[in-house]
């Protein structure tokens, strides 16, 4: 029996229990009789859990009761009793430290002695946390998995594993660039005497290093067939379950490293895995799993209805209680705001639309710190960037279509500045960046399943904020989460009730979509196909047949890439498949043959030697193959004007500051605003408003804008988004093709480095590899500061006193960008 099989519906029939739970759920203080009754029930639930600890939901209900009694009625003794007996020692420590209960001196001394044994790195761990950490660190098996709620000591576990294992070649794999820099700082602060790298081209042939990589960078390093990792730590390991290009790359990385180094030690870290066996990429793997079940936070969940009605959800009774009313959803958001408020929406454009509406309702603060911040953003981005005005009211927004530096800077300012109260954001918030959020509004639940919702909610009130000594309250153990229905950001008559009910048990099955995993159920899909054939469901049959063929092709490709590493005969095929560039073509098999034939002949092309590197992409990958390409964003490069644009754009990325680049882009918009190309300006799915009329008379997808209808302020923000969209196209698409040409020896190293780094100056390119932007290096060059910097043998940036004085004179954004690499 497990949580999924438990139902507390029978408790609704007990009027006394139901009415008392209603008051407790609504945070209404109970009378003495009600408290005594519910606490007696809690004792019974704990006894039931003692009989069968698989019935963890009984313990969760008991914990809910004692937690609410403590916070609503200031009855802390039951919470102290439960927390000390069940190893929730951070709570026990907080209650005793702040004298929130009246206990005897002897019992308090005994408890304090017990708690002192669970102190680690200046925090008190739970019993499960300490036990799991020690068992994982001292594990002598090769495959290990740590499953724990967000903020249960993952960072300190990583450093302790590296220190204890003391292996030579270490790789920490993180899913995003933001996490890459965050993890680099963690490792740098703990291992200053080790060679630390976070870009594959920083590798200098050393036999010992700690690397922090995305899966793409790790695989690029493993192109050198002599390299493997002795210790591989996979952060956010649940990403393996998905079926997308990055999940397949992560699977390839694990399989390749296991093949090269059978003695490698692997650790998988995640808050969202039900069964670690689902991580297996080979059937013989045996994974040692430690899972922390107890989540000491219990969310207060509200739903705002379009009618103005507000309801509070109790997940144990699976009941919604009436909780009040509000005039409209914007007023509701502001009326219920706290110190740090996060509003979630999926689409970047919708994030901006909500920010506009919220800004119209917020009062101007205009404090010195916010005015200074507004000026910094205006000077470094553009005076018409929406956040320049929003920040004066304590509001920022974040999404993946903002340039990385600006997104990271706004994240930092939301964390650092107490007057920045609101952040509107999408899934970028789920990428592991730790923001101090104590209140969440979920404006739309599209694409959020139960696991994703749980992960999102886990971002509210991280444990280091819960046990803040200044508060002297445990109310942050009750994160407030509001599901807000509105016609603006949901469908008319929207109802998030079914999504909210997914949180009832807190237990979710792993959804395996990756066909490379051992436990992926291909037989179920084959059975579904047979049933579809029997039912004559032609469309379903065709869909399943296509999917099965696709999965088979993926499996064959990945097996080839892992097993044929030393096969020189298949070198070209391996390079093409490794890069994923074949995904732009209809037939990857035929393209392997055609491009393989081109490798030997392309250098004889009369235009090849004198062509720009982007023209070479056209000559090798597009010319004569146009009819085989279905990705229109790549096929654009068949046109001279498109290639000219990217020649200019990539040059600007290296040469111009963001503000200069935006101004340059706005200038371009103004020249085409009233021309045909301005009235049908391509922007993509995220921001498109109109579609072109196709040859068949039908209107295509809304991927275009009419620039003639846009104000100067709108053009500035469109420019910001356009720069990010094109930057991503260059980084994740165009550069892949250029990397393949380099790997195939079709372009020389000097030409490659000039394009990738914007310089042939070896010293400057080393700083680019570290992550310094081209515009920052150009500024430091202009200000004669590069001579004050160097990179030591451990991959760390060193600086002299002149550089310290220089940085002190710079504005806040420059200081922030430098601080990612240098602690001054």
């Amino acid at each position: 029996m497990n949580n999924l099989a438990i139902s507390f519906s029978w408790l609704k029939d007990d009027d006394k229990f139901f009415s008392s739970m209603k008051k407790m759920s609504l945070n209404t203080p109970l009378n003495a009789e009600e408290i005594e009754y519910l606490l007696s029930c809690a004792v019974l639930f704990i006894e039931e859990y003692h009989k069968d600890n698989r019935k963890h939901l009984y313990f969760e209900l008991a914990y809910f009761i004692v937690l609410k009694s403590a916070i609503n009625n200031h009855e802390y003794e039951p919470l102290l009793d439960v927390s000390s007996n069940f190893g929730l020692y951070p709570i026990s420590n907080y209650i005793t430290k702040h004298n929130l209960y009246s206990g005897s001196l002897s019992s308090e001394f005994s408890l304090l002695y017990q708690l002192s044994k669970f102190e680690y790195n200046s925090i008190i761990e739970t019993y499960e946390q300490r036990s799991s950490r020690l068992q994982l660190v001292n594990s002598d098996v090769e495959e290990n998995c740590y499953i724990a709620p967000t903020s249960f000591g993952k960072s300190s576990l990583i450093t302790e594993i590296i220190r204890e294992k003391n292996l030579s070649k270490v790789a920490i794999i993180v899913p995003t660039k933001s996490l890459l820099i965050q993890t680099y700082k963690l490792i740098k602060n703990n291992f200053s005497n080790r060679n630390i790298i976070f870009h594959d081209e920083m590798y200098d042939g050393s036999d010992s290093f700690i690397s922090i990589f995305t899966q793409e960078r790790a695989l690029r390093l493993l192109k050198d067939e002599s390299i493997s990792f002795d210790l591989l730590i996979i952060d956010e390991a649940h990403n393996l379950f998905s079926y997308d290009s990055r999940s397949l790359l992560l699977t390839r990385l694990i399989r390749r490293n296991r093949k090269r180094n059978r003695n490698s030690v692997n650790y998988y870290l995640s808050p969202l895995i039900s069964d670690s066996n689902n991580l297996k990429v080979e059937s013989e793997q045996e994974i040692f799993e430690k899972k922390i079940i107890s989540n000491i936070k219990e969310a207060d969940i509200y739903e705002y209805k379009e009618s103005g009605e507000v309801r509070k959800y109790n997940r144990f009774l699976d009941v919604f209680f009436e909780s009040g009313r509000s005039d409209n959803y914007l007023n509701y958001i502001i009326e219920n705001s706290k110190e740090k408020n996060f509003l979630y929406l999926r689409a970047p454009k919708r994030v901006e639309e909500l920010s506009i509406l919220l800004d119209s309702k917020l009062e101007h603060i205009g404090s010195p710190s916010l005015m200074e911040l507004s000026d910094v953003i205006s000077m470094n981005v553009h005076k018409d960037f929406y956040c320049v005005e929003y920040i004066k009211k304590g509001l920022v927004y974040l999404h993946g279509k903002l340039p990385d530096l600006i997104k990271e800077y706004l994240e930092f300012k939301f964390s650092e500045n107490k007057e920045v109260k609101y952040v509107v954001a999408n899934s970028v918030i789920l990428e592991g960046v730790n923001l101090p959020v104590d209140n969440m509004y979920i404006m739309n639940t599209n694409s959020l399943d139960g696991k994703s919702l749980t992960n999102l909610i886990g971002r509210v009130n991280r444990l280091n904020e819960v046990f803040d000594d200044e508060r002297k309250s445990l109310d942050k153990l009750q994160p407030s989460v509001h599901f807000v229905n509105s016609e603006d950001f949901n469908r008319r008559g929207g109802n998030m009730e079914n999504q909210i009910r997914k949180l009832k048990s807190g237990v979710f099955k792993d959804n395996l979509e990756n066909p490379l995993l051992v436990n992926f159920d291909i037989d179920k899909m084959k059975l579904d196909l047979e049933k579809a054939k029997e039912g004559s469901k032609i469309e379903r049959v065709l869909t399943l047949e296509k999917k099965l063929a696709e999965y088979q092709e993926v499996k064959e490709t990945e097996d080839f890439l892992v097993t044929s590493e030393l096969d020189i005969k298949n070198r070209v095929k391996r390079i093409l498949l490794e890069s994923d560039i074949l995904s732009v073509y209809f037939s990857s098999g035929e393209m392997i043959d055609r491009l393989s034939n081109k490798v030997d002949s392309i250098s004889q092309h009369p235009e090849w030697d004198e062509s720009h590197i982007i023209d070479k992409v056209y000559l090798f990958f597009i010319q004569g193959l146009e009819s085989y390409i279905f990705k229109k964003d790549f096929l654009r490069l068949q046109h001279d004007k498109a290639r000219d644009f990217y020649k200019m754009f990539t040059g600007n990325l290296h040469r111009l500051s963001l503000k200069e680049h935006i101004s340059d882009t706005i200038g371009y918009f103004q020249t085409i605003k009233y021309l045909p190309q301005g009235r049908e300006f391509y922007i993509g799915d995220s921001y498109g408003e109109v579609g072109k009329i196709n040859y068949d008379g039908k209107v295509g997808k809304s991927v275009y804008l009419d620039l003639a209808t846009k104000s100067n302020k709108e053009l500035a923000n469109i420019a910001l988004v356009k720069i990010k969209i094109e930057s991503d196209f260059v980084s994740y698409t165009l550069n892949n093709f250029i990397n393949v040409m380099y790997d195939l020896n079709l372009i020389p190293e000097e030409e490659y480095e000039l394009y990738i780094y914007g310089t042939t100056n070896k010293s400057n390119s080393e700083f680019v590899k570290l992550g310094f932007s081209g515009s920052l290096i150009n500024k430091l060059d202009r200000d004669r500061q590069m001579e004050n910097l160097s990179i030591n043998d451990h991959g760390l940036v060193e600086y002299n006193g002149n550089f310290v004085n220089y940085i002190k004179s710079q504005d806040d954004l420059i200081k922030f960008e430098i601080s990612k690499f240098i602690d001054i």
Side-chain angles (χ1 to χ4, degrees):
M1 189 176 187
N2 55 41
N3 282 1
L4 288 173
I6 294 174
S7 171
F8 291 122
S9 58
W10 54 277
L11 287 170
K12 299 177 192 176
D13 298 329
D14 186 310
D15 292 339
K16 187 173 184 180
F17 185 87
F18 187 81
S19 63
S20 300
M21 280 289 281
K22 178 178 180 180
K23 289 177 70 174
M24 186 168 268
S25 297
L26 296 172
N27 296 333
T28 304
L30 280 67
N31 61 41
E33 183 185 352
E34 291 167 327
I35 290 177
E36 184 178 354
Y37 172 71
L38 282 182
L39 290 175
S40 299
C41 291
V43 172
L44 294 175
F45 298 144
I46 286 174
E47 288 179 357
E48 191 67 24
Y49 171 64
H50 270 307
K51 292 176 188 175
D52 184 351
N53 61 15
R54 291 174 298 174
K55 298 182 179 180
H56 201 270
L57 206 57
Y58 277 96
F59 175 77
E60 291 176 26
L61 176 53
Y63 177 70
F64 172 84
I65 291 170
V66 298
L67 178 64
K68 286 288 188 180
S69 297
I71 294 172
N72 295 349
N73 277 76
H74 308 292
E75 293 282 349
Y76 282 94
E77 284 82 355
L79 180 59
L80 178 61
D81 188 41
V82 168
S83 62
S84 57
N85 280 291
F86 287 90
L88 306 180
Y89 297 134
I91 296 176
S92 311
N93 180 66
Y94 197 88
I95 292 172
T96 54
K97 187 176 182 179
H98 294 286
N99 300 314
L100 297 177
Y101 84 111
S102 53
S104 66
L105 185 63
S106 60
S107 63
E108 184 176 329
F109 176 81
S110 174
L111 179 58
L112 289 174
Y113 173 73
Q114 178 76 3
L115 293 176
S116 66
K117 295 190 294 184
F118 285 84
E119 184 171 349
Y120 174 71
N121 282 352
S122 302
I123 65 165
I124 300 294
E125 295 180 301
T126 69
Y127 177 86
E128 276 187 299
Q129 188 177 359
R130 182 174 186 270
S131 173
S132 296
R133 175 176 59 80
L134 291 175
Q135 289 184 64
L136 284 163
V137 167
N138 296 315
S139 167
D140 57 4
V141 302
E142 291 170 352
E143 304 281 344
N144 305 272
C145 181
Y146 180 50
I147 305 166
T150 304
S151 74
F152 262 78
K154 179 182 65 179
S155 298
S156 58
L157 177 64
I158 289 173
T159 57
E160 193 172 0
I161 288 169
I162 294 171
R163 191 171 285 115
E164 182 66 26
K165 298 302 176 186
N166 194 29
L167 294 168
S168 297
K169 297 187 177 76
V170 177
I172 305 165
I173 309 302
V174 297
T176 66
K177 287 182 180 178
S178 295
L179 265 177
L180 193 149
I181 295 298
Q182 183 176 303
T183 309
Y184 167 70
K185 286 186 172 182
L186 169 75
I187 299 303
K188 183 178 71 170
N189 291 338
N190 283 275
F191 300 96
S192 58
N193 62 335
R194 292 286 302 266
N195 182 18
I196 303 170
I197 60 177
F198 57 87
H199 195 292
D200 52 291
E201 295 196 24
M202 291 171 67
Y203 178 64
D204 60 1
S206 170
D207 289 331
S208 177
F209 59 81
I210 300 175
S211 59
I212 306 100
F213 286 151
T214 58
Q215 51 264 52
E216 290 86 354
R217 292 185 181 183
L219 282 167
R220 285 203 296 270
L221 182 63
L222 294 188
K223 284 180 182 179
D224 182 338
E225 291 154 1
S226 66
I227 298 175
S228 65
F229 303 119
D230 303 313
L231 174 62
L232 190 60
I233 301 173
I234 311 292
D235 194 13
E236 306 291 331
H238 54 270
N239 288 330
L240 273 170
F241 296 158
S242 301
Y243 180 55
D244 57 48
S245 60
R246 302 201 72 224
S247 301
L248 297 180
L249 290 177
L250 184 56
T251 314
R252 186 190 304 167
L253 167 63
I254 294 167
R255 294 180 71 199
R256 178 166 291 167
N257 198 64
R258 281 178 57 78
K259 182 175 182 294
R260 289 189 190 175
N261 187 350
R262 280 296 175 183
N263 295 319
S264 69
V265 179
N266 294 345
Y267 281 85
Y268 306 90
L269 314 178
S270 171
L272 295 176
I273 292 174
S274 297
D275 183 354
S276 59
N277 285 315
N278 288 328
L279 293 165
K280 289 183 179 181
V281 296
E282 294 178 12
S283 56
E284 67 269 20
Q285 282 178 277
E286 291 192 11
I287 301 177
F288 174 64
E289 174 187 296
K290 292 307 298 180
K291 180 186 290 187
I292 293 181
I293 299 173
S294 300
N295 186 355
I296 62 179
K297 295 186 292 185
E298 183 63 48
D300 270 350
I301 298 173
Y302 301 83
E303 183 185 25
Y304 171 86
K305 308 286 285 182
E306 276 186 69
S307 63
E309 176 191 359
V310 182
R311 306 189 302 167
K312 184 83 173 290
Y313 180 62
N314 182 298
R315 73 182 178 97
F316 302 102
L317 299 178
D318 195 23
V319 168
F320 288 84
F321 296 117
E322 289 186 17
S323 179
R325 294 190 63 81
S326 191
D327 293 342
N328 61 66
Y329 72 92
L330 289 171
N331 287 346
Y332 175 77
I333 289 168
I334 294 169
E335 290 163 1
N336 291 279
S337 66
K338 294 186 177 181
E339 293 173 6
K340 292 288 183 181
N341 306 277
F342 166 39
L343 290 77
Y344 172 86
L345 273 166
R346 184 186 178 197
K349 189 176 180 182
R350 306 294 268 165
V351 166
E352 294 186 16
E353 288 170 355
L354 178 57
S355 301
I356 291 170
L357 292 171
L358 189 58
D359 173 69
S360 70
K361 290 285 187 178
L362 293 174
E363 294 183 5
H364 185 272
I365 300 173
S367 66
S369 72
L370 293 183
M371 294 302 289
E372 181 182 347
L373 182 52
S374 176
D375 288 342
V376 168
I377 298 170
S378 178
M379 285 188 297
N380 287 279
V381 184
H382 195 278
K383 63 181 179 61
D384 286 330
F385 175 36
Y386 294 134
C387 281
V388 169
E389 292 302 318
Y390 296 169
I391 201 71
K392 297 173 184 176
K393 298 182 180 182
L395 166 68
V396 296
Y397 66 82
L398 307 170
H399 56 65
K401 294 294 186 284
L402 288 179
D404 291 338
L405 176 62
I406 299 306
K407 179 175 71 69
E408 291 166 8
Y409 181 66
L410 293 176
E411 285 171 351
F412 172 68
K413 284 301 169 183
F414 178 77
S415 300
E416 180 204 53
N417 191 321
K418 290 185 177 181
E419 293 181 299
V420 185
K421 286 185 59 175
Y422 298 92
V423 58
V424 185
N426 63 356
S427 57
V428 297
I429 211 87
L430 295 175
E431 294 173 350
V433 177
N434 301 329
L435 298 180
V437 174
D438 62 2
N439 197 26
M440 176 178 288
Y441 300 92
I442 298 174
M443 308 299 296
N444 191 297
T445 54
N446 286 351
S447 78
L448 288 175
D449 58 13
K451 275 192 175 184
S452 300
L453 274 174
T454 301
N455 192 25
L456 189 61
I457 290 170
R459 300 290 164 186
V460 188
N461 291 350
R462 297 180 65 86
L463 293 185
N464 61 320
E465 297 145 23
V466 168
F467 300 110
D468 182 354
D469 285 338
E470 293 182 11
R471 295 182 59 81
K472 296 190 178 180
S473 169
L474 288 171
D475 58 350
K476 284 199 172 189
L477 285 172
Q478 302 179 122
S480 53
V481 180
H482 309 262
F483 290 78
V484 181
N485 292 286
S486 69
E487 191 175 336
D488 290 336
F489 300 102
N490 225 319
R491 55 184 172 79
R492 174 174 279 192
N495 184 351
M496 299 196 210
E497 181 176 315
N498 290 336
Q499 291 292 90
I500 295 170
R501 290 186 191 275
K502 290 179 180 178
L503 301 169
K504 183 168 78 169
S505 70
V507 177
F508 310 100
K509 290 183 178 179
D510 296 327
N511 182 23
L512 269 62
E513 298 175 344
N514 183 346
L516 302 175
L517 298 175
V518 170
N519 287 349
F520 177 77
D521 196 349
I522 193 76
D523 292 332
K524 181 181 181 301
M525 183 172 283
K526 290 176 180 177
L527 186 62
D528 289 344
L529 176 58
E530 292 306 314
K531 288 179 179 178
K533 286 178 178 178
E534 290 171 8
S536 301
K537 297 178 179 177
I538 303 302
E539 286 190 17
R540 175 75 172 152
V541 168
L542 292 174
T543 300
L544 287 171
E545 285 181 338
K546 182 180 178 182
K547 207 71 175 172
L548 278 167
E550 182 182 317
Y551 286 162
Q552 185 61 36
E553 184 180 356
V554 166
K555 187 80 169 66
E556 289 174 359
T557 296
E558 291 298 325
D559 287 347
F560 168 79
L561 287 173
V562 171
T563 59
S564 68
E565 288 192 277
L566 302 178
D567 186 352
I568 298 174
K569 182 176 65 176
N570 285 309
R571 175 176 168 271
V572 174
K573 177 181 177 180
R574 194 171 70 250
I575 288 171
L576 293 174
L577 287 171
E578 186 90 41
S579 67
D580 195 39
I581 63 163
L582 297 174
S583 61
V584 306
Y585 299 101
F586 285 111
S587 173
S588 58
E590 186 172 350
M591 282 306 105
I592 290 171
D593 293 336
R594 287 179 173 270
L595 292 172
S596 296
N597 291 333
K598 253 188 165 184
V599 169
D600 297 325
S601 62
I602 193 66
S603 60
Q604 306 304 315
H605 193 290
E607 299 175 24
W608 184 259
D609 289 340
E610 302 305 318
S611 291
H612 186 280
I613 197 167
I614 292 175
D615 291 321
K616 288 180 178 178
V617 170
Y618 163 69
L619 293 172
F620 186 69
F621 295 104
I622 299 175
Q623 191 177 57
L625 303 173
E626 291 86 350
S627 61
Y628 294 93
I629 299 171
F630 71 90
K631 288 283 184 74
K632 291 183 178 178
D633 58 347
F634 179 65
L635 188 56
R636 285 179 297 161
L637 295 177
Q638 68 181 310
H639 302 297
D640 291 339
K641 285 186 177 179
R643 297 199 300 278
D644 289 343
F645 168 80
Y646 284 107
K647 292 172 194 175
M648 174 197 70
F649 185 84
T650 52
N652 285 348
L653 281 178
H654 295 304
R655 183 174 56 87
L656 300 180
S657 68
L658 178 60
K659 185 172 186 177
E660 291 167 340
H661 204 165
I662 291 171
S663 297
D664 190 69
T665 305
I666 293 171
Y668 170 68
F669 287 168
Q670 295 290 2
T671 64
I672 65 166
K673 188 173 181 179
Y674 299 106
L675 299 176
Q677 61 264 45
R679 291 188 176 278
E680 290 183 341
F681 180 75
Y682 179 83
I683 192 74
D685 290 338
S686 300
Y687 281 80
E689 296 175 354
V690 296
K692 280 185 180 180
I693 298 176
N694 296 325
Y695 297 114
D696 58 6
K698 294 180 181 178
V699 178
K701 291 174 67 176
S702 296
V703 293
Y704 299 93
L705 290 174
D706 182 352
L707 296 182
T709 65
K710 304 302 179 185
S711 66
N712 289 340
K713 192 178 190 75
E714 288 174 309
L715 288 178
N717 287 277
I718 292 167
L720 189 69
V721 166
K722 180 66 172 174
I723 289 168
K724 173 58 175 171
I725 289 172
E726 296 298 356
S727 297
D728 285 349
F729 175 77
V730 168
S731 296
Y732 303 119
T733 300
L734 184 56
N735 287 0
N736 275 352
F737 289 87
I738 287 165
N739 286 333
V740 168
M741 291 195 299
Y742 181 62
D743 290 340
L744 292 172
N745 301 319
L746 298 178
I747 52 176
E749 181 178 6
E750 186 174 337
E751 182 179 12
Y752 173 79
E753 294 211 337
L754 180 61
Y755 169 80
I756 294 291
Y757 304 123
T759 178
T760 53
N761 181 321
K762 285 289 184 184
S763 174
N764 285 3
S765 68
E766 291 304 311
F767 284 93
V768 177
K769 291 173 187 177
L770 271 178
F772 280 56
S773 66
S775 61
L776 177 61
I777 288 176
N778 286 337
K779 175 177 171 53
L780 296 177
D781 250 344
R782 288 195 304 270
D783 295 346
R784 300 176 66 100
Q785 291 300 315
M786 291 302 293
E787 60 198 50
N788 294 323
L789 297 175
S790 61
I791 301 172
N792 68 18
D793 292 339
H794 300 306
L796 303 178
V797 178
E798 295 185 336
Y799 52 89
N800 59 25
N802 291 334
F803 191 76
V804 173
N805 294 331
Y806 168 78
I807 287 299
K808 287 178 180 178
S809 68
Q810 300 304 302
D811 71 35
D812 195 51
L813 185 61
I814 298 294
K815 289 176 181 175
F816 170 76
E817 188 173 3
I818 286 291
S819 73
K820 293 197 294 181
F821 314 101
I822 303 174
D823 295 321
I824 294 183

